[in-house]
Amino acid sequence: MMNVQAIILLLSLSLPGMLFMARSEKRLIQFLNPEEIPPPLWLRLVNHFVIVILFIILGVSFYQRAGFTLPSFTGIHTATILISVVTALIHVGYYYLIVVKRMDERSYNRVERSRRETGIFARVLYGGIVEEIMFRFGLLSFIMWALAFVFQNELFGFWIANLAAAFLFALAHVPGMHQLNIKVTVNLYVYSISMNMLVGIVCGWLFWTNGLEAAIVCHMLFHIVWYIFESLNIGKPMNLTED
């Protein structure tokens, strides 16, 4: 029988992120395509709700069979915080020290402006909570359960599943680059896929070893650390009026 309490818990955790993201999408659409009329807020919320509930049902159906647990908020330790911050610093360092230096001014302006239009609350609550529920609790649980029929070694099966889920997580971010209407280079592809895979792999490992709450904290801290560097105006000078 479906665990209704688990669905309600995870859906409740997802709601703030869905709301903030749905609200920020109006600003993003107006920035990226001023001629487009954004869908109404309720329709944007319904879109997020349908996607998230499907991943929640997937996770609730398979998380126990894959050896995972529901968030209990006891798996957050000092090591979790340190690992999360180091992961964020590697990602942010790669972006500012390598990627930004190879970007043209217009592309840089649009990338930075789109992140600001999204807002820190949407990034932390949607990226940190909703994406972890979808990709770790939902997708990783299913993949690991499926691979248990192929690999008898649990550790090996987990790492194959974790790599697969992290790769799909990274691929899910690629369309966003194209929506920015920027010059998408090999440099950007390598950065986006490799660094999002890094975040996905670390979050997956934390999910496996310390629970979903540890993966959520890691992803949230990633966005918080990036926001700190962003607020310090690290990188090229940005023209906020750039179209």
Side-chain angles (χ1 to χ4, degrees):
M1 182 178 293
M2 189 70 67
N3 189 337
V4 177
Q5 288 182 326
I7 293 175
I8 293 173
L9 169 64
L10 294 165
L11 191 58
S12 299
L13 290 173
S14 302
L15 283 175
M18 288 191 286
L19 178 59
F20 275 102
M21 182 57 75
R23 288 173 61 88
S24 71
E25 284 171 341
K26 180 179 180 179
R27 297 191 301 272
L28 278 169
I29 292 171
Q30 291 172 335
F31 163 58
L32 296 174
N33 190 359
E35 298 179 356
E36 181 179 346
I37 299 176
L41 177 61
W42 70 266
L43 187 57
R44 301 196 300 271
L45 274 172
V46 168
N47 179 59
H48 286 295
F49 181 88
V50 170
I51 295 171
V52 172
I53 196 68
L54 289 175
F55 277 97
I56 288 176
I57 291 173
L58 182 69
V60 168
S61 300
F62 294 101
Y63 80 97
Q64 288 181 313
R65 305 180 199 182
F68 295 118
T69 60
L70 289 172
S72 60
F73 306 101
T74 60
I76 303 170
H77 310 291
T78 303
T80 302
I81 306 298
L82 291 175
I83 292 169
S84 303
V85 171
V86 169
T87 301
L89 290 174
I90 292 172
H91 191 140
V92 173
Y94 188 114
Y95 175 73
Y96 285 113
L97 296 176
I98 299 176
V99 178
V100 167
K101 293 182 178 180
R102 299 178 182 178
M103 291 175 70
D104 61 275
E105 183 178 354
R106 180 181 179 279
S107 295
Y108 174 76
N109 286 334
R110 289 183 70 83
V111 169
E112 293 295 309
R113 172 89 180 270
S114 68
R115 200 161 55 245
R116 284 166 168 77
E117 293 292 350
T118 303
I120 184 60
F121 290 108
R123 285 147 62 185
V124 169
L125 296 175
Y126 189 89
I129 298 176
V130 178
E131 288 185 355
E132 287 308 306
I133 288 173
M134 290 194 299
F135 286 95
R136 249 56 68 183
F137 183 78
L139 188 61
L140 178 54
S141 294
F142 171 72
I143 296 175
M144 189 165 176
W145 167 80
L147 288 180
F149 294 98
V150 181
F151 304 109
Q152 294 193 353
N153 186 305
E154 183 183 26
L155 180 62
F156 185 75
F158 162 74
W159 279 110
I160 296 297
N162 194 25
L163 286 169
F167 181 65
L168 292 173
F169 170 72
L171 285 183
H173 287 77
V174 171
M177 290 193 301
H178 292 276
Q179 291 173 345
L180 293 175
N181 189 23
I182 61 175
K183 183 179 180 181
V184 181
T185 62
V186 173
N187 176 45
L188 281 176
Y189 275 122
V190 171
Y191 155 71
S192 180
I193 293 176
S194 64
M195 289 297 100
N196 280 309
M197 275 198 71
L198 172 66
V199 174
I201 289 169
V202 173
C203 287
W205 177 72
L206 287 172
F207 175 39
W208 190 49
T209 57
N210 293 286
L212 182 61
E213 63 272 26
I216 288 174
V217 166
C218 179
H219 203 149
M220 293 176 83
L221 280 174
F222 161 71
H223 288 290
I224 291 170
V225 169
W226 195 330
Y227 180 73
I228 292 171
F229 279 84
E230 179 183 288
S231 301
L232 295 173
N233 293 317
I234 304 296
K236 299 178 181 179
M238 188 178 67
N239 178 11
L240 288 175
T241 62
E242 186 79 19
D243 62 15

